[in-house]
Amino acid sequence: MGKKQLNVRVDATTAEMARERAEQQGISMNQYIERLVLQDMGEAGLRFVDAAAQFMKEYESEFLTEFGERVGAEERQR
């Protein structure tokens, strides 16, 4: 997959902290920013799954009432 260039503006302190962290990890600034974004997406995905599980737990009986028989009938037809 090809790479896209992003231009990001941050204050001088934030830029320096990012440079230092990248250097401490022995990676480029590009790699550091890419890791941060991927890490954030992973955490967002986990939060989504947790929220979906909680939603299903709270509304399970309503779903079974509305869709339970249809799902069972569809599976019996297969």
Side-chain angles (χ1 to χ4, degrees):
M1 176 180 3
K3 298 276 186 171
K4 293 280 188 176
Q5 181 174 338
L6 301 175
N7 296 313
V8 180
R9 293 186 184 276
V10 296
D11 62 56
T13 303
T14 302
E16 185 57 30
M17 288 189 306
R19 274 189 208 93
E20 288 174 7
R21 291 294 291 158
E23 187 177 311
Q24 289 170 355
Q25 295 178 27
I27 59 176
S28 70
M29 178 72 88
N30 287 337
Q31 291 170 317
Y32 178 69
I33 299 299
E34 187 172 16
R35 283 184 184 181
L36 289 177
V37 171
L38 291 172
Q39 178 183 359
D40 184 60
M41 294 304 296
E43 290 172 4
L46 290 175
R47 285 192 303 269
F48 172 80
V49 169
D50 288 343
Q54 182 62 36
F55 176 84
M56 288 304 294
K57 186 185 298 182
E58 290 177 22
Y59 294 97
E60 179 180 20
S61 62
E62 286 84 355
F63 274 90
L64 290 174
T65 299
E66 180 69 23
F67 302 107
E69 288 184 34
R70 286 187 228 159
V71 170
E74 287 174 10
E75 288 190 7
R76 282 193 295 273
Q77 290 175 356
R78 290 181 185 172

